[in-house]
Amino acid sequence: MTDASKLFSPLPNHFGVKEDPKPIGCIWNPLSWPSLFNYHKNKLNLPSPGKFERLHYEATKETFAAGFLFDGAQANIVKELSGNFHVQHQFSLGSQVMPPMYNFMSGYMTERTMLQGTMDNDTNLNGVLRHAWSPQSATKVVAQLTNMPGHSMIQVEQEFNGSDYALNFKTMNPNLVEMTGLYMASYLQSVSQQLVLGSEIVLQRPTPDMEETAMSLVGKYTGSDYIATCQFQGVGAIQASYYQRINDKVDFGVELNLMVQNGRREAVTTVGGKFDFRQATFRGQIDTTGKVSAVLEEKMAPGFSFLISGDLDHMKGQSKFGVGIMLSA
């Protein structure tokens, strides 16, 4: 009689997928250290740390009203010509700091390539090109051509994104013959599921005989519904931010900018919030200098929004007010 245990033996738990074997090597052998380090790091399953330039994004860029302020009258008309190509017309007038202006913007985007361009009525041109060579490597070029001498610039950026690290190199107006320009390198590393540490080095050489360097250290801790970020710069500057998600419709953020240099201390704290309603979004902020700002975007109909912007500086006795519309077709 046939043994049933032989006919119905348990299946292997990997189902044809091989587990990552532990590297062979002694811990006292320096040649085996890289493989041992990668093996133990992969077992931690660390998340991606994100980009260095977006460290304070949730608190300052997304929640605060500063990035959405405008004054005077403004109209934006966006036209989707295809799934990859769109154009935008922007009209602005009545601003206290800018003359009446018209901007034409166009954008083309695929899964790997993004191209954007802007030209105003004075023929000043801004362009951005980003191409992803692979899921881990991408190159970005930003160019600005103006009629004002000394204001044109070009910026080249190369980024490498691993599963748990981000490495970025950036240069602005480089001159490889005289080695002048602005050069930046940054690195972020996830050390746990919540903590990210990193550093940035900046080298500035406006002339061959003048050189300035600066280094900053950063830390970012992500909780279940909050994000705390702090950046220490070598020139005596500290930037710290805290983002709190109250619920799906309410976000709050706090930012502290502290400068300690030559025996002098200056600090500015900003508190802001974002409120999403059924057909509107309100952003407001106030800082310790007495400046109050707010932006309201009301969605009147599908593809049509009405915007109101206000900025009041109590210490300087200045105020700015703007109204605008945005039409998407």
Side-chain angles (χ1 to χ4, degrees), residues 40-262:
H40 290 287
K41 187 184 70 169
N42 293 334
K43 290 181 62 177
L44 296 175
N45 193 25
L46 298 175
S48 173
K51 296 184 178 181
F52 194 93
E53 59 187 15
R54 295 172 63 92
L55 284 172
H56 304 273
Y57 179 81
E58 291 82 3
T60 60
K61 302 297 182 181
E62 181 64 21
T63 305
F64 288 177
F68 302 87
L69 292 173
F70 64 94
D71 67 328
Q74 190 177 101
N76 293 274
I77 303 175
V78 183
K79 177 66 176 179
E80 298 286 344
L81 300 180
S82 68
N84 305 103
F85 185 68
H86 73 275
V87 296
Q88 180 177 349
H89 305 272
Q90 183 182 77
F91 306 88
S92 58
L93 54 89
S95 173
Q96 300 181 17
V97 295
M98 298 291 293
M101 186 174 296
Y102 165 75
N103 289 279
F104 173 77
M105 290 163 275
S106 62
Y108 175 79
M109 182 177 297
T110 63
E111 293 183 356
R112 300 179 60 181
T113 305
M114 185 270 293
L115 179 63
Q116 291 182 346
T118 304
M119 178 176 287
D120 61 19
N121 51 283
D122 293 329
T123 67
N124 296 316
L125 178 64
N126 296 307
V128 179
L129 171 63
R130 186 183 187 276
H131 180 73
W133 307 100
S134 68
Q136 294 79 29
S137 175
T139 302
K140 181 179 178 182
V141 180
V142 181
Q144 176 179 324
L145 303 176
T146 67
N147 298 323
M148 302 177 61
H151 285 74
S152 298
M153 73 92 179
I154 184 170
Q155 175 182 304
V156 182
E157 181 178 348
Q158 178 65 41
E159 60 183 41
F160 301 94
N161 299 309
S163 59
D164 56 2
Y165 72 90
L167 180 62
N168 183 279
F169 298 97
K170 187 184 301 183
T171 178
M172 184 180 299
N173 291 337
N175 188 333
L176 300 180
V177 177
E178 299 181 349
M179 290 303 296
T180 59
L182 182 65
Y183 303 88
M184 292 176 284
S186 62
Y187 180 79
L188 289 177
Q189 175 67 59
S190 296
V191 296
S192 71
Q193 293 293 328
Q194 293 82 24
L195 182 61
V196 174
L197 300 178
S199 177
E200 182 184 48
I201 299 176
V202 179
L203 171 63
Q204 185 175 2
R205 297 195 67 187
T207 60
D209 56 347
M210 184 181 298
E211 180 177 313
E212 296 181 3
T213 59
M215 181 178 180
S216 62
L217 302 175
V218 299
K220 181 177 181 180
Y221 188 88
T222 303
S224 58
D225 56 358
Y226 66 92
I227 300 175
T229 308
C230 189
Q231 180 174 359
F232 298 89
Q233 300 180 3
V235 295
I238 299 176
Q239 181 183 8
S241 65
Y242 179 81
Y243 165 80
Q244 178 72 56
R245 188 174 185 84
I246 306 300
N247 53 47
D248 293 340
K249 299 182 180 298
V250 181
D251 301 326
F252 273 96
V254 180
E255 182 188 30
L256 170 65
N257 287 282
L258 176 63
M259 175 67 72
V260 180
Q261 193 174 19
N262 298 327

